[in-house]
Amino acid sequence: VGPCALVTPWNFPLAMITRKAAPALAAGCTCVIKPSELTPFSALALAELARRAGVPPGVLNVVPVSREGVVAAGDVLTGDTRIRKLSFTGSTAIGTLLAAKSAATVKRTSLELGGNAPFIVMPDADMDAAIKGAMLAKFRNSGQTCVAANRFLVHESVYEDFVARLTSEAETLALGHGLDSRTTIGPLINEAACRKAAAFVDDAIVRGARVTTGGDWAQGPFWGNFFPPTVIRDATDEMACTCFESFAPLAPVIKFSTAAEAVALANDTPAGLACYLYSQDLALAWRMAEELEYGMVGINEALISHAEIPFGGIKESG
């Protein structure tokens, strides 16, 4: 292929680089890594470890930039004809821009963009498994993953039970320092992320939803960039927290009546990265999975990213 530009996000600053660099290096391609301006040191440390391991100079390169320099760096990586492939993980808006700029030099592109993952709970779901999966899919890394469950679609017959149990489980999560063994959920990346989450909660309340736990960034034992795990009941598909990716520990729960309605609600988004579906009727689950417009569908499974299977989305998720 040739030299590859790897533009990586902040949420998994080491894994996102190794996931891109490993296959590039295996194919004989050198790499230029542009890490997020929020997490440059992980990338620099990885480059140093690569040097110590014997990777020759010039093979694995890191170009950290400030926020002010992001646009200029992007212009160089997309415009330089020596770069033959661009791999980007991040927002749909930035991915669209990079793809357009890469077209001018006919670069190959691999884009893993934004998501709005639905977590569907059918009436016959194993509720213990569904709650366990919901906690993992929603609150892992404080909700800051591209495949995080962004909205919960729950059948009306099990809605009250699901909301009550999810609320109870969310209240067991312990905010704190990552090196404290008692901690089970950490901070958001910065204050802007907390303000966005708080605005999503306020919007939901104004539109008629109710918060069953969490929601208030400024009160209780929370401080700095720590946002409390939040469950929002009586959510609708017109709220900011269900229309847009929150990247925060917000769990809005929407009620549905039929499988067809669940599929329609799930597909009513330009995103198409990940989806979760819990049902003990596997024939129904497979039929629904065929209708769900997502690159990855986890059936009774909340961990859908594995080294041995493909990872990616459709529609505006890349």
Side-chain angles (χ1 to χ4, degrees), residues 3 17 26 30 55 78 83 86 96 164 168 217 222 229 245 272-273 279 296 317:
I17 293 174
T30 56
V55 175
T78 55
I83 298 292
L86 173 80
T96 301
S168 179
W217 174 36
F222 313 117
E245 190 173 32
L273 185 58
S279 172
M296 300 173 286
S317 290

PDB file of all heavy atoms in Angstrom, residues 3 17 26 30 55 78 83 86 96 164 168 217 222 229 245 272-273 279 296 317:
ATOM      1  N   PRO A   3       3.175   4.242   2.639  1.00  0.00           N
ATOM      2  CA  PRO A   3       3.085   4.922   3.940  1.00  0.00           C
ATOM      3  C   PRO A   3       1.630   5.213   4.322  1.00  0.00           C
ATOM      4  O   PRO A   3       0.836   5.659   3.494  1.00  0.00           O
ATOM      5  CB  PRO A   3       3.872   6.210   3.713  1.00  0.00           C
ATOM      6  CG  PRO A   3       4.828   5.876   2.612  1.00  0.00           C
ATOM      7  CD  PRO A   3       4.090   4.942   1.715  1.00  0.00           C
ATOM      8  N   ILE A  17      -4.008   2.812  18.385  1.00  0.00           N
ATOM      9  CA  ILE A  17      -2.786   2.850  17.576  1.00  0.00           C
ATOM     10  C   ILE A  17      -2.364   1.438  17.182  1.00  0.00           C
ATOM     11  O   ILE A  17      -2.090   1.161  16.002  1.00  0.00           O
ATOM     12  CB  ILE A  17      -1.655   3.553  18.333  1.00  0.00           C
ATOM     13  CG1 ILE A  17      -1.988   5.034  18.514  1.00  0.00           C
ATOM     14  CG2 ILE A  17      -0.329   3.403  17.578  1.00  0.00           C
ATOM     15  CD1 ILE A  17      -0.996   5.783  19.377  1.00  0.00           C
ATOM     16  N   ALA A  26       2.654  -5.208   9.418  1.00  0.00           N
ATOM     17  CA  ALA A  26       2.697  -6.586   8.915  1.00  0.00           C
ATOM     18  C   ALA A  26       2.676  -6.621   7.389  1.00  0.00           C
ATOM     19  O   ALA A  26       3.237  -7.538   6.770  1.00  0.00           O
ATOM     20  CB  ALA A  26       1.522  -7.381   9.480  1.00  0.00           C
ATOM     21  N   THR A  30       5.109   1.688   6.329  1.00  0.00           N
ATOM     22  CA  THR A  30       5.504   2.594   7.405  1.00  0.00           C
ATOM     23  C   THR A  30       4.296   3.421   7.837  1.00  0.00           C
ATOM     24  O   THR A  30       3.307   3.528   7.106  1.00  0.00           O
ATOM     25  CB  THR A  30       6.638   3.523   6.955  1.00  0.00           C
ATOM     26  OG1 THR A  30       6.212   4.220   5.776  1.00  0.00           O
ATOM     27  CG2 THR A  30       7.903   2.747   6.645  1.00  0.00           C
ATOM     28  N   VAL A  55      12.335  -1.670  16.352  1.00  0.00           N
ATOM     29  CA  VAL A  55      11.700  -1.124  15.153  1.00  0.00           C
ATOM     30  C   VAL A  55      12.601  -0.026  14.597  1.00  0.00           C
ATOM     31  O   VAL A  55      12.957   0.911  15.313  1.00  0.00           O
ATOM     32  CB  VAL A  55      10.303  -0.562  15.470  1.00  0.00           C
ATOM     33  CG1 VAL A  55       9.697   0.120  14.251  1.00  0.00           C
ATOM     34  CG2 VAL A  55       9.390  -1.684  15.946  1.00  0.00           C
ATOM     35  N   THR A  78      -3.501  14.467   4.479  1.00  0.00           N
ATOM     36  CA  THR A  78      -4.407  14.141   3.368  1.00  0.00           C
ATOM     37  C   THR A  78      -3.876  14.646   2.026  1.00  0.00           C
ATOM     38  O   THR A  78      -4.205  14.079   0.981  1.00  0.00           O
ATOM     39  CB  THR A  78      -5.806  14.736   3.594  1.00  0.00           C
ATOM     40  OG1 THR A  78      -5.693  16.152   3.811  1.00  0.00           O
ATOM     41  CG2 THR A  78      -6.471  14.095   4.803  1.00  0.00           C
ATOM     42  N   ILE A  83       1.776   9.870   1.258  1.00  0.00           N
ATOM     43  CA  ILE A  83       0.862   9.090   2.090  1.00  0.00           C
ATOM     44  C   ILE A  83      -0.155   8.418   1.179  1.00  0.00           C
ATOM     45  O   ILE A  83      -0.881   9.076   0.441  1.00  0.00           O
ATOM     46  CB  ILE A  83       0.119   9.991   3.106  1.00  0.00           C
ATOM     47  CG1 ILE A  83       1.113  10.662   4.053  1.00  0.00           C
ATOM     48  CG2 ILE A  83      -0.918   9.185   3.875  1.00  0.00           C
ATOM     49  CD1 ILE A  83       1.804   9.704   4.997  1.00  0.00           C
ATOM     50  N   LEU A  86      -5.115   6.486   4.499  1.00  0.00           N
ATOM     51  CA  LEU A  86      -5.486   7.176   5.727  1.00  0.00           C
ATOM     52  C   LEU A  86      -6.446   6.292   6.514  1.00  0.00           C
ATOM     53  O   LEU A  86      -7.462   5.841   5.980  1.00  0.00           O
ATOM     54  CB  LEU A  86      -6.162   8.514   5.421  1.00  0.00           C
ATOM     55  CG  LEU A  86      -6.744   9.240   6.638  1.00  0.00           C
ATOM     56  CD1 LEU A  86      -5.634   9.975   7.385  1.00  0.00           C
ATOM     57  CD2 LEU A  86      -7.831  10.226   6.229  1.00  0.00           C
ATOM     58  N   THR A  96     -15.786  12.620   7.507  1.00  0.00           N
ATOM     59  CA  THR A  96     -16.284  13.067   6.203  1.00  0.00           C
ATOM     60  C   THR A  96     -15.332  14.086   5.590  1.00  0.00           C
ATOM     61  O   THR A  96     -15.031  14.034   4.385  1.00  0.00           O
ATOM     62  CB  THR A  96     -17.684  13.688   6.358  1.00  0.00           C
ATOM     63  OG1 THR A  96     -18.569  12.716   6.916  1.00  0.00           O
ATOM     64  CG2 THR A  96     -18.229  14.147   5.025  1.00  0.00           C
ATOM     65  N   ALA A 164     -35.932  -0.539  36.783  1.00  0.00           N
ATOM     66  CA  ALA A 164     -35.647  -0.670  38.208  1.00  0.00           C
ATOM     67  C   ALA A 164     -34.322  -1.383  38.446  1.00  0.00           C
ATOM     68  O   ALA A 164     -33.508  -0.958  39.287  1.00  0.00           O
ATOM     69  CB  ALA A 164     -36.783  -1.425  38.905  1.00  0.00           C
ATOM     70  N   SER A 168     -30.792   0.181  39.928  1.00  0.00           N
ATOM     71  CA  SER A 168     -30.160  -0.412  41.105  1.00  0.00           C
ATOM     72  C   SER A 168     -28.701  -0.768  40.841  1.00  0.00           C
ATOM     73  O   SER A 168     -27.820  -0.490  41.664  1.00  0.00           O
ATOM     74  CB  SER A 168     -30.938  -1.664  41.530  1.00  0.00           C
ATOM     75  OG  SER A 168     -30.339  -2.274  42.645  1.00  0.00           O
ATOM     76  N   TRP A 217     -24.494  16.677  37.745  1.00  0.00           N
ATOM     77  CA  TRP A 217     -23.034  16.722  37.743  1.00  0.00           C
ATOM     78  C   TRP A 217     -22.491  17.507  38.935  1.00  0.00           C
ATOM     79  O   TRP A 217     -21.432  17.183  39.482  1.00  0.00           O
ATOM     80  CB  TRP A 217     -22.584  17.354  36.425  1.00  0.00           C
ATOM     81  CG  TRP A 217     -21.127  17.616  36.288  1.00  0.00           C
ATOM     82  CD1 TRP A 217     -20.101  16.841  36.767  1.00  0.00           C
ATOM     83  CD2 TRP A 217     -20.519  18.703  35.609  1.00  0.00           C
ATOM     84  NE1 TRP A 217     -18.888  17.375  36.417  1.00  0.00           N
ATOM     85  CE2 TRP A 217     -19.120  18.528  35.698  1.00  0.00           C
ATOM     86  CE3 TRP A 217     -21.013  19.799  34.925  1.00  0.00           C
ATOM     87  CZ2 TRP A 217     -18.223  19.422  35.135  1.00  0.00           C
ATOM     88  CZ3 TRP A 217     -20.132  20.685  34.357  1.00  0.00           C
ATOM     89  CH2 TRP A 217     -18.753  20.504  34.459  1.00  0.00           C
ATOM     90  N   PHE A 222     -19.599  14.035  43.659  1.00  0.00           N
ATOM     91  CA  PHE A 222     -18.957  14.122  42.353  1.00  0.00           C
ATOM     92  C   PHE A 222     -18.188  15.438  42.213  1.00  0.00           C
ATOM     93  O   PHE A 222     -18.584  16.467  42.741  1.00  0.00           O
ATOM     94  CB  PHE A 222     -20.008  13.990  41.251  1.00  0.00           C
ATOM     95  CG  PHE A 222     -20.936  12.837  41.497  1.00  0.00           C
ATOM     96  CD1 PHE A 222     -22.286  13.041  41.703  1.00  0.00           C
ATOM     97  CD2 PHE A 222     -20.439  11.554  41.555  1.00  0.00           C
ATOM     98  CE1 PHE A 222     -23.129  11.983  41.955  1.00  0.00           C
ATOM     99  CE2 PHE A 222     -21.276  10.483  41.802  1.00  0.00           C
ATOM    100  CZ  PHE A 222     -22.620  10.696  42.004  1.00  0.00           C
ATOM    101  N   PRO A 229     -23.143   7.956  36.956  1.00  0.00           N
ATOM    102  CA  PRO A 229     -23.928   7.052  36.114  1.00  0.00           C
ATOM    103  C   PRO A 229     -25.404   7.439  36.196  1.00  0.00           C
ATOM    104  O   PRO A 229     -25.950   7.610  37.288  1.00  0.00           O
ATOM    105  CB  PRO A 229     -23.680   5.674  36.737  1.00  0.00           C
ATOM    106  CG  PRO A 229     -22.377   5.828  37.459  1.00  0.00           C
ATOM    107  CD  PRO A 229     -22.353   7.236  37.964  1.00  0.00           C
ATOM    108  N   GLU A 245     -24.823  10.795  19.853  1.00  0.00           N
ATOM    109  CA  GLU A 245     -23.922   9.993  20.673  1.00  0.00           C
ATOM    110  C   GLU A 245     -23.500  10.796  21.903  1.00  0.00           C
ATOM    111  O   GLU A 245     -22.918  11.870  21.788  1.00  0.00           O
ATOM    112  CB  GLU A 245     -22.696   9.614  19.832  1.00  0.00           C
ATOM    113  CG  GLU A 245     -21.791   8.593  20.454  1.00  0.00           C
ATOM    114  CD  GLU A 245     -20.697   8.155  19.488  1.00  0.00           C
ATOM    115  OE1 GLU A 245     -20.258   8.984  18.664  1.00  0.00           O
ATOM    116  OE2 GLU A 245     -20.284   6.983  19.555  1.00  0.00           O
ATOM    117  N   GLY A 272     -24.552   3.609  11.986  1.00  0.00           N
ATOM    118  CA  GLY A 272     -24.783   2.176  11.779  1.00  0.00           C
ATOM    119  C   GLY A 272     -23.591   1.349  12.199  1.00  0.00           C
ATOM    120  O   GLY A 272     -23.135   0.489  11.453  1.00  0.00           O
ATOM    121  N   LEU A 273     -23.086   1.607  13.404  1.00  0.00           N
ATOM    122  CA  LEU A 273     -21.889   0.895  13.853  1.00  0.00           C
ATOM    123  C   LEU A 273     -22.243  -0.384  14.612  1.00  0.00           C
ATOM    124  O   LEU A 273     -22.030  -1.481  14.125  1.00  0.00           O
ATOM    125  CB  LEU A 273     -21.026   1.816  14.723  1.00  0.00           C
ATOM    126  CG  LEU A 273     -19.677   1.240  15.171  1.00  0.00           C
ATOM    127  CD1 LEU A 273     -18.825   0.829  13.983  1.00  0.00           C
ATOM    128  CD2 LEU A 273     -18.938   2.248  16.056  1.00  0.00           C
ATOM    129  N   SER A 279     -32.714 -11.603  23.391  1.00  0.00           N
ATOM    130  CA  SER A 279     -33.925 -12.409  23.246  1.00  0.00           C
ATOM    131  C   SER A 279     -33.529 -13.871  23.342  1.00  0.00           C
ATOM    132  O   SER A 279     -32.454 -14.263  22.864  1.00  0.00           O
ATOM    133  CB  SER A 279     -34.603 -12.144  21.900  1.00  0.00           C
ATOM    134  OG  SER A 279     -35.666 -13.052  21.673  1.00  0.00           O
ATOM    135  N   MET A 296     -22.337  -4.328  13.077  1.00  0.00           N
ATOM    136  CA  MET A 296     -22.149  -5.370  14.090  1.00  0.00           C
ATOM    137  C   MET A 296     -23.401  -5.457  14.956  1.00  0.00           C
ATOM    138  O   MET A 296     -23.899  -4.435  15.419  1.00  0.00           O
ATOM    139  CB  MET A 296     -20.936  -5.052  14.966  1.00  0.00           C
ATOM    140  CG  MET A 296     -19.631  -4.945  14.187  1.00  0.00           C
ATOM    141  SD  MET A 296     -18.255  -4.383  15.209  1.00  0.00           S
ATOM    142  CE  MET A 296     -18.670  -2.637  15.406  1.00  0.00           C
ATOM    143  N   SER A 317     -21.411   5.534   9.742  1.00  0.00           N
ATOM    144  CA  SER A 317     -20.407   5.088  10.706  1.00  0.00           C
ATOM    145  C   SER A 317     -19.136   4.587  10.031  1.00  0.00           C
ATOM    146  O   SER A 317     -18.209   4.124  10.696  1.00  0.00           O
ATOM    147  CB  SER A 317     -20.984   3.986  11.598  1.00  0.00           C
ATOM    148  OG  SER A 317     -21.948   4.501  12.480  1.00  0.00           O
TER     149      SER A 317
END
